[in-house]
């Protein structure tokens, strides 16, 4: 049985999804400010590793927990909604089925409480 990681195209597919995702995030003035002092090459790799982990792929994520990562950022529901929308759009742009897109976004949405520190 294929994992969600496999259905999203494995490592190469996730790398492409993350590239599409960050194109959208960085074009959004309400989100790009959160990355003003971020090394985006390192951020991209952390995001690929994190997605691989939560989508049942290899667990190579070495970053902080979601609550530690997002503490003090004052992220709100509208920020989270935009991130979820851009992930969905990025997955669709890479040809991922709506079923697998919904499953992937659902995994991210399950982390909303820790990401928003609520």
């Amino acid at each position: 049985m294929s994992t969600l990681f496999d259905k999203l195209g494995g490592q190469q597919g996730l790398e492409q999804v993350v590239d599409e995702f960050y194109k959208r995030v960085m074009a959004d003035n309400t989100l790009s400010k959160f990355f003003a002092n971020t090394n985006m090459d390192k951020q991209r790799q952390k995001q690929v590793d994190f997605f691989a982990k939560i989508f049942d792929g290899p667990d190579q994520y070495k970053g902080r927990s979601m609550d530690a990562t997002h503490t003090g950022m004052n992220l709100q529901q509208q920020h989270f909604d935009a991130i979820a929308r851009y992930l969905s759009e990025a997955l669709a742009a890479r040809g991922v089925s709506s079923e697998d897109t919904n499953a992937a976004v659902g995994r991210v949405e399950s982390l909303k409480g820790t990401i928003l520190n609520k």
Side-chain angles (χ1 to χ4, degrees), residues 6-101:
D6 295 330
K7 292 176 181 179
L8 301 180
Q11 187 71 24
Q12 182 178 5
L14 273 186
E15 290 173 1
Q16 293 169 348
V17 166
V18 168
D19 288 343
E20 289 286 336
F21 170 73
Y22 277 120
K23 283 180 193 175
R24 289 163 170 75
V25 168
M26 297 308 287
D28 183 327
N29 292 333
T30 65
L31 297 177
S32 62
K33 65 185 177 186
F34 294 110
F35 298 95
N37 298 313
T38 302
N39 177 324
M40 289 307 293
D41 289 333
K42 287 183 181 179
Q43 177 64 28
R44 177 191 175 276
Q45 189 57 54
K46 283 182 186 179
Q47 192 69 63
V48 169
D49 291 347
F50 183 72
F51 281 161
K53 177 181 177 175
I54 68 169
F55 299 152
D56 303 320
D59 183 358
Q60 299 175 8
Y61 180 69
K62 304 294 184 231
R64 297 180 297 169
S65 66
M66 290 299 97
D67 54 343
T69 297
H70 297 99
T71 294
M73 294 179 72
N74 195 29
L75 293 172
Q76 302 298 316
Q77 184 68 46
Q78 68 266 23
H79 301 124
F80 187 87
D81 291 345
I83 290 292
R85 183 174 65 252
Y86 295 142
L87 174 57
S88 181
E89 290 174 2
L91 290 161
R94 299 301 315 149
V96 174
S97 73
S98 59
E99 179 181 340
D100 293 335
T101 294

